[in-house]
Amino acid sequence: MELTSSLLSPRRPTRRITLGGVPIGDGAPITVQSMTTTKTADVDGTLAQIYALASAGADIVRCTCNEEAAAEGLAHIVPRSPVPIVADIHFHHEMALAALEAGVQGLRLNPGNLRKEAEIKQVAQEAKDRGVPIRVGVNAGSLHPDLYKRFGGATPEALVESARMEIAYFAEVGFEDVKISVKASSVPLMIEAYRLASETFDHPLHLGVTEAGPPPAGLVKGTAGIATLLAEGIGDTIRYSLTADPVEEARAGRQLLEAMGLRERKGLDLIACPSCGRAEIDVIGVAKAAQEALESRHLPIQVAVMGCVVNGPGEAREADLGIAAGRRRGHLFIKGKIVRVVPEDDMVGALVEEAEKLVAEGIEARLAAADSGAEAEAEADRRALFDAQGADVNDTAHKVDLIRKTVHDEGPKPES
């Protein structure tokens, strides 16, 4: 676990449930979920998407079960899936019972759509008998009309009350294997609803901003809500709800947890400078090419692409591996130490080659294998560029002078 996780608020204690062998709550690693967009009756197409989601970092995948053909599809999908499957149920309790017959490892029920007490209890009893957990999936957009009227809208209190009522039905049949979500498309509403839910329940919480929309705005909204709560120690499992290929949801969820130090790194973390007056290359272009070349290899390392050799290796010294450009050459560095100097056209290829060796052999071995003259060559390039460009290549001193002049000229005048 990375140091960053220890700098966040401690995880709030919740009960432990197990979904198809995946632990959730009570300090278990925060899990990533997504949902297929295929017709569940299309077994091969759905399985292909499930495998893609698992490869992108999804620990659990949800499939719709809205008709008999979908339930039959689940019977074929569940035993071939690489991750546990949750059946998404909205209006028909018969579909929940059919999904349980198909062998799903979890159910998601929407209290706003499945409202008959007897039917809810019947599903809970069957899930209890089979040891299958249920997510109470409250959604601001489908809140029960009575609650909407009672609370004057889809308020945090209304969302939490909806979950409480559903859990009360479950309790009457002795079913407690529950996790809860109180999603909204409004980020502030979602955050406050989950804060209230964390104070109200000890069940695991599934985080998400529903109907966040397409990237990049959807990613921003999802991250704003999910990351805020995770930083406060709230949340046991997450899902980005994007209008996009669901693989993007799984990838975003995994990357968020890795960035926050809440899951061990599984894939690439590529960082790059935003470019400046010292940049010797098209930083955006090289970073994109490096991302594309490295991402498919699933290497669990942090890689830096820097635009200049003057500041690059020092600024990115914490990266496992990086490359900086200067004088039509690339300076390859590991943990800030130059190990090779390569032609500019070979920068991406050299980066990929070294990344694979680094993962296979380890940092110490690759530092020991550094080219003997690399640091001297790099220092010569750095010094030549510094001499040619000067210390203030971005003309910062001039900007500072203008700022000071503006402040003094336009500032408050003394009273006469």
Side-chain angles (χ1 to χ4, degrees):
M1 195 65 65
E2 296 179 9
L3 173 63
T4 46
S5 64
S6 66
L7 303 178
L8 307 178
S9 296
R11 291 272 299 279
R12 300 198 184 189
T14 55
R15 303 185 192 188
R16 171 70 60 90
I17 67 171
T18 302
L19 199 158
V22 176
I24 300 172
D26 190 33
I30 296 170
T31 55
V32 174
Q33 301 192 32
S34 185
M35 185 174 180
T36 55
T37 57
T38 55
K39 297 290 186 183
T40 310
D42 176 7
V43 173
D44 290 339
T46 301
L47 276 168
Q49 195 167 79
I50 291 169
Y51 270 86
L53 289 168
S55 179
D59 303 293
I60 298 165
V61 173
R62 181 158 48 110
C63 300
T64 189
C65 187
N66 58 341
E67 57 184 3
E68 185 177 345
E72 292 176 4
L74 286 172
H76 295 280
I77 291 165
V78 170
R80 295 164 59 187
S81 172
V83 294
I85 298 298
V86 174
D88 192 51
I89 311 298
H90 279 273
F91 297 100
H92 307 291
H93 82 291
E94 298 92 345
M95 291 297 98
L97 299 175
L100 290 170
E101 290 291 348
V104 296
Q105 292 93 350
L107 294 175
R108 183 264 179 156
L109 305 183
N110 185 336
N113 294 336
L114 192 62
R115 300 173 183 172
K116 294 182 179 178
E117 181 180 342
E119 294 176 353
I120 294 169
K121 290 179 180 178
Q122 182 183 1
V123 172
Q125 181 65 62
E126 189 67 26
K128 177 185 175 184
D129 293 344
R130 295 171 181 266
V132 173
I134 296 176
R135 170 159 68 95
V136 177
V138 180
N139 191 312
S142 57
L143 191 65
H144 193 292
D146 291 348
L147 289 174
Y148 195 92
K149 181 178 179 180
R150 175 179 162 192
F151 288 91
T155 64
E157 293 77 12
L159 298 180
V160 170
E161 178 63 12
S162 178
R164 190 200 63 76
M165 291 171 60
E166 187 88 347
I167 292 171
Y169 292 147
F170 292 171
E172 291 186 32
V173 297
F175 181 72
E176 297 182 341
D177 206 7
V178 175
K179 66 179 183 287
I180 298 168
S181 62
V182 283
K183 295 185 180 181
S185 57
S186 161
V187 174
L189 172 58
M190 170 265 192
I191 290 173
E192 195 55 36
Y194 276 104
R195 285 172 176 164
L196 181 58
S198 72
E199 296 170 357
T200 306
F201 308 112
D202 64 353
H203 297 284
L205 296 181
H206 168 86
L207 305 185
V209 176
T210 192
E211 302 162 354
L219 283 169
V220 172
K221 285 189 279 188
T223 302
I226 296 170
T228 296
L229 292 163
L230 291 176
E232 295 177 6
I234 298 171
D236 302 282
T237 179
I238 67 172
R239 182 209 171 183
Y240 277 79
S241 296
L242 301 176
T243 309
D245 186 331
V247 169
E248 292 193 43
E249 297 183 353
R251 185 178 295 120
R254 184 76 196 200
Q255 289 174 342
L256 176 64
L257 296 181
E258 291 177 358
M260 298 183 74
L262 294 169
R263 288 289 292 266
E264 293 182 4
R265 185 161 302 287
K266 181 180 179 182
L268 173 70
D269 178 21
L270 189 140
I271 62 175
C273 69
S275 192
C276 71
R278 289 197 184 280
E280 292 283 306
I281 57 168
D282 173 11
V283 179
I284 295 173
V286 173
K288 182 178 179 181
Q291 179 96 23
E292 292 174 351
L294 288 165
E295 203 163 42
S296 62
R297 290 168 167 81
H298 303 292
L299 303 176
I301 57 175
Q302 186 178 68
V303 176
V305 174
M306 308 302 287
C308 82
V309 297
V310 175
N311 300 322
E315 291 176 351
R317 67 170 59 90
E318 296 303 320
D320 299 311
L321 173 67
I323 199 156
R327 300 184 72 197
R328 304 194 63 78
R329 302 201 292 181
H331 296 186
L332 198 68
F333 57 90
I334 295 174
K335 291 294 184 180
K337 178 180 173 61
I338 305 296
V339 295
R340 290 169 64 192
V341 177
V342 301
E344 184 177 293
D345 292 343
D346 296 341
M347 285 176 61
V348 174
L351 196 62
V352 172
E353 178 185 356
E354 187 60 46
E356 292 179 330
K357 290 180 179 179
L358 187 66
V359 171
E361 302 173 22
I363 288 176
E364 294 304 321
R366 294 312 301 162
L367 287 173
D371 292 349
S372 58
E375 286 196 315
E377 284 187 71
E379 177 58 25
D381 285 347
R382 192 192 74 82
R383 180 54 56 189
L385 281 172
F386 190 85
D387 290 344
Q389 296 176 339
D392 191 16
V393 71
N394 290 318
D395 201 20
T396 305
H398 176 61
K399 294 174 183 176
V400 169
D401 285 342
L402 289 175
I403 290 168
R404 290 174 177 171
K405 184 175 185 300
T406 299
V407 170
H408 288 298
D409 288 351
E410 302 297 330
K413 303 294 189 295
E415 294 182 4
S416 56

